[in-house]
Amino acid sequence: MAHYSFLHLTAAALGLGPRSGPVFGGAVPRRRYDVAIIGGGGHGLATAHYLAREHGVSDIVVIEKGWLGGGNTGRNTTIVRADYLLPGNLEFFGHALSMWPDLSRDLNFNVMFSPRGYLDLAHSDAQLDLFIRRANMLSLKGIQARIVDPQTLRDLEPALDIGPKPPVPVLGGLVQAGAGTARHDAVAWGYARSAHRQGVDIVQNCEVTGLKLEHEHIVGVETSRGMIETDTVVVSVAGHSSRLAAMAGIDLPIETYAVQAFVSEPLKPVLNRVTNMNIGLAYVSQTDKGEIVMGGSLEPLASYAQRGSVVRIGETASRLVHLLPFLSRVRLMRAWGGIADVTADGSAIVGPTPVGGLYLNAGWGYSGFKATPAAGWCLAHTVATGEVHPLIRPLGLERFTTGALLDEGGAGPYTWLH
């Protein structure tokens, strides 16, 4: 993804009219706003969109350190799924998945959602048992999921070389037909354009340097372009959540790790759906352009670096080659990295904080992109009404003191992290 800002995206470039200047992202921050949202990625922009459209709150500024969508929104592998097990995550991600099919119509912007399906492979009796329980829980909540045997897997994905014997036994899998992929940067563009049209100021290249508090309540945001007065702040900055929270004196139960992905040269269509391999974690999908997108587990050391290692590429590729032998002859074109907040229980933190007027959207790990519409929807409701949306009540920061943890270790990278 090219490193240029929305200031370079003209109306003509998006087919919106004559070449009259920037479409959005070029606002000069005012002295005061009702709401300041820190972070111009998908979650922050979605929150602004739903605050303005659903709740009539449009005196909002979105503050982005770099360019819109240049953080984790533009550095993920575009996967959308809802195969979670635990109550709390189950309902939230089910709602998120239900929002994706209508998102392009909702925003009047093509986010290229492709419900091609998601396939999770089970390599042991224990994993297959877990997937059966997960599919049962999903079905009870009305979320599509089914268990299939190895022969059905071969029919669904003919390119897979699977069987019951080592080195990579496959005993079955979980299939979610309504899951798939979406164009990550288009999601940011769609939410940004909609928020802009509803009067939201979007400020790029503006770094937050501090949060101003009085009597344990937020009163302003200090930035590289001056002080912004406000009594409501939403922090939605993905891998930098701990840094921003520390500015308000909050110590988050989060560690930050780099996550790497890489992509091959374009090929003819060969993969029908997103496929996840659970031995060491490796996942793969094919873009509309034909590129094979691959990713794996977190880098082993905590870091804020937006890059990974050659070692991780080798480990991930070697796993995938066992299941997809044709990949051994495919050339890689590029690699990139994002930074993921990982909480102590592997689930996100969304909602109010002990500081009055300060709201947090953090700790998504591998799950941030797929959560985008629901996270924005629920947080907008919470900010506008003062009542925590029911879907995010289980994701509150207070669970780390009450003990009501959501240990979703089997649905992401966390099993292989520690």
Side-chain angles (χ1 to χ4, degrees):
M1 180 177 174
H3 292 191
Y4 45 75
S5 77
F6 274 55
L7 294 174
H8 296 91
L9 295 176
T10 64
L14 292 176
L16 304 176
R19 295 183 180 275
S20 56
V23 180
F24 34 66
V28 176
R30 292 187 276 110
R31 175 76 175 176
R32 180 170 180 81
Y33 291 89
D34 289 341
V35 179
I37 298 174
I38 304 172
H43 284 223
L45 294 167
T47 304
H49 161 78
Y50 293 119
L51 270 171
R53 196 191 69 178
E54 301 296 325
H55 303 282
V57 180
S58 59
D59 187 26
I60 302 169
V61 61
V62 177
I63 307 167
E64 169 54 43
K65 178 181 178 181
W67 67 95
L68 298 186
N72 282 3
T73 298
R75 294 173 178 269
N76 60 73
T77 50
T78 75
I79 298 172
V80 173
R81 58 179 170 88
D83 60 331
Y84 291 78
L85 174 65
L86 299 182
N89 282 330
L90 190 68
E91 295 84 356
F92 175 86
F93 283 101
H95 181 70
L97 184 60
S98 73
M99 295 180 73
W100 281 100
D102 295 325
L103 190 58
S104 293
R105 184 183 299 108
D106 177 40
L107 299 177
N108 192 28
F109 197 100
N110 185 10
V111 302
M112 300 175 67
F113 175 61
S114 173
R116 62 189 64 186
Y118 178 79
L119 172 59
D120 216 355
L121 301 178
H123 307 291
S124 67
D125 290 332
Q127 282 187 342
L128 186 58
D129 179 68
L130 171 63
F131 287 179
I132 291 171
R133 288 187 284 120
R134 192 179 296 174
N136 287 339
M137 288 293 291
L138 290 164
S139 298
L140 286 171
K141 293 294 182 178
I143 304 168
Q144 195 282 329
R146 65 189 177 104
I147 299 297
V148 296
D149 59 23
Q151 182 54 52
T152 304
L153 291 176
R154 294 186 188 95
D155 295 337
L156 293 173
E157 286 291 347
L160 285 175
D161 182 14
I162 62 175
K165 297 181 180 180
V168 184
V170 177
L171 306 185
L174 184 149
V175 176
Q176 191 164 63
T181 63
R183 178 72 182 183
H184 44 19
D185 45 10
V187 172
W189 297 345
Y191 276 120
R193 188 182 72 165
S194 177
H196 169 77
R197 288 180 168 180
Q198 296 175 87
V200 174
D201 281 354
I202 301 175
V203 181
Q204 297 180 100
N205 302 310
C206 181
E207 182 176 1
V208 172
T209 57
L211 298 176
K212 186 177 181 181
L213 278 61
E214 290 183 2
H215 308 296
E216 297 301 315
H217 197 288
I218 199 82
V219 295
V221 179
E222 300 171 0
T223 79
S224 57
R225 299 175 66 176
M227 171 66 73
I228 296 175
E229 297 176 356
T230 182
D231 55 10
T232 303
V233 171
V234 177
V235 174
S236 187
V237 294
H240 295 283
S241 303
S242 296
R243 290 177 169 179
L244 269 293
M247 295 178 183
I250 299 173
D251 185 15
L252 294 180
I254 279 177
E255 292 179 331
T256 302
Y257 295 85
V259 188
Q260 188 174 204
F262 44 99
V263 65
S264 78
E265 61 187 327
L267 306 175
K268 291 181 178 180
V270 63
L271 297 177
N272 298 322
R273 54 191 49 75
V274 180
T275 299
N276 183 46
M277 175 182 177
N278 283 282
I279 293 182
L281 186 62
Y283 47 92
V284 60
S285 65
Q286 189 167 20
T287 71
D288 294 333
K289 194 165 64 174
E291 299 165 335
I292 306 296
V293 181
M294 294 162 273
S297 54
L298 302 171
E299 294 294 325
L301 299 177
S303 171
Y304 287 101
Q306 290 180 311
R307 62 183 182 272
S309 66
V310 176
V311 172
R312 185 65 64 197
I313 294 177
E315 290 176 349
T316 303
S318 66
R319 295 186 185 111
L320 291 172
V321 164
H322 285 305
L323 286 172
L324 298 165
F326 73 89
L327 289 176
S328 65
R329 305 184 300 276
V330 174
R331 293 174 295 181
L332 295 182
M333 290 202 308
R334 61 186 181 275
W336 64 93
I339 49 175
D341 285 342
V342 180
T343 62
D345 64 354
S347 296
I349 303 172
V350 191
T353 72
V355 174
L358 181 63
Y359 298 83
L360 185 64
N361 179 6
W364 290 99
Y366 272 40
S367 305
F369 179 67
K370 62 186 67 66
T372 300
W377 175 277
C378 294
L379 201 50
H381 169 94
T382 302
V383 170
T385 66
E387 297 291 332
V388 177
H389 194 285
L391 285 174
I392 59 172
R393 281 178 191 153
L395 302 177
L397 178 61
E398 67 278 359
R399 74 178 187 271
F400 293 98
T401 56
T402 64
L405 302 181
L406 283 175
D407 189 4
E408 196 74 52
Y414 318 106
T415 300
W416 298 275
L417 180 58
H418 297 298

